[in-house]
Amino acid sequence: MARWNGFNGGDPYYAGADAAAAVVNTNLATATGVIVWVAMDAWLSKEKKPTFLGGVNGMICGLVGITPCAGWVNGQGAIYIGAICTVVVWFAWNFLSKVKPFSKVDDALGVIYTHGMAGLMGGLLLGIFADPGMIQYPCGPASVPLTVAPTSTACVPFSVNGWIYTGSAHQLWNRPGPPCGSSSGPPSSPSSS
């Protein structure tokens, strides 16, 4: 867990508000994943009892689910992402593993579920829960030390608006724009004259 905090918190390349938010969100999603998986084991499994390995799987689901969006969502979004990723993986682990082609896969550790499905869900949920108040500082003037990508001109901090904040599902399939400092915009369509 401590290394995952460094992984997500180290993403902005400096200790600041971005890194602190990523570490807090990582812990929130992880705790939520553990609680949700243990509760689902206790209430919905055949055995009706929580297990230690179930708690570990919930922890991994929360960690993997929040990784694509740790610095882009607020605490409430981190809790939702941890819960949603864990619920999806729990149902996939318990029911989808009995259906072809998943029943033919030798996956004793559940990596397809805990990493593949949770990571996919976390990436998709970024388009829903991205908070425009989570400002990113990608670069700055060359005279400022410890900037991510020093440039000759100052870059503008930016944020991403998720579906919850805009009411538009456009962010679910939108890709980020050009990198900071790049003068190239989106590709232009050929003009027909």
Side-chain angles (χ1 to χ4, degrees), residues 6-42:
F7 180 69
N8 285 351
D11 226 13
Y13 298 111
Y14 66 97
D18 296 348
V23 169
V24 169
N25 288 340
T26 299
N27 289 307
L28 282 172
T30 303
T32 303
V34 170
I35 291 168
V36 168
W37 193 293
V38 167
M40 291 182 75
D41 270 351

Side-chain angles (χ1 to χ4, degrees), residues 168-190:
S168 169
H170 178 69
Q171 285 299 324
L172 294 176
W173 59 82
N174 193 16
R175 65 170 183 78
C180 188
S182 171
S183 60
S184 64
S188 58
S189 59

Side-chain angles (χ1 to χ4, degrees), residues 51-150:
T51 62
F52 175 75
L53 291 178
V56 171
N57 284 332
M59 177 188 72
I60 293 170
C61 290
L63 287 169
V64 172
I66 198 63
T67 296
C69 45
W72 299 94
V73 299
N74 59 21
Q76 186 177 10
I79 291 169
Y80 288 143
I81 288 168
I84 292 168
C85 289
T86 303
V87 167
V88 167
V89 171
W90 189 90
F91 277 107
W93 183 292
N94 287 292
F95 299 109
L96 191 62
S97 62
K98 296 168 181 65
V99 178
K100 286 184 182 180
F102 294 101
S103 63
K104 299 292 184 188
V105 176
D106 181 19
D107 187 15
L109 298 176
V111 176
I112 289 175
Y113 305 103
T114 58
H115 285 78
M117 290 185 180
L120 175 66
M121 286 302 301
L124 292 174
L125 290 171
L126 173 60
I128 296 174
F129 294 112
D131 184 358
M134 301 297 287
I135 305 296
Q136 301 295 316
Y137 301 98
C139 51
S143 61
V144 177
L146 301 177
T147 54
V148 176

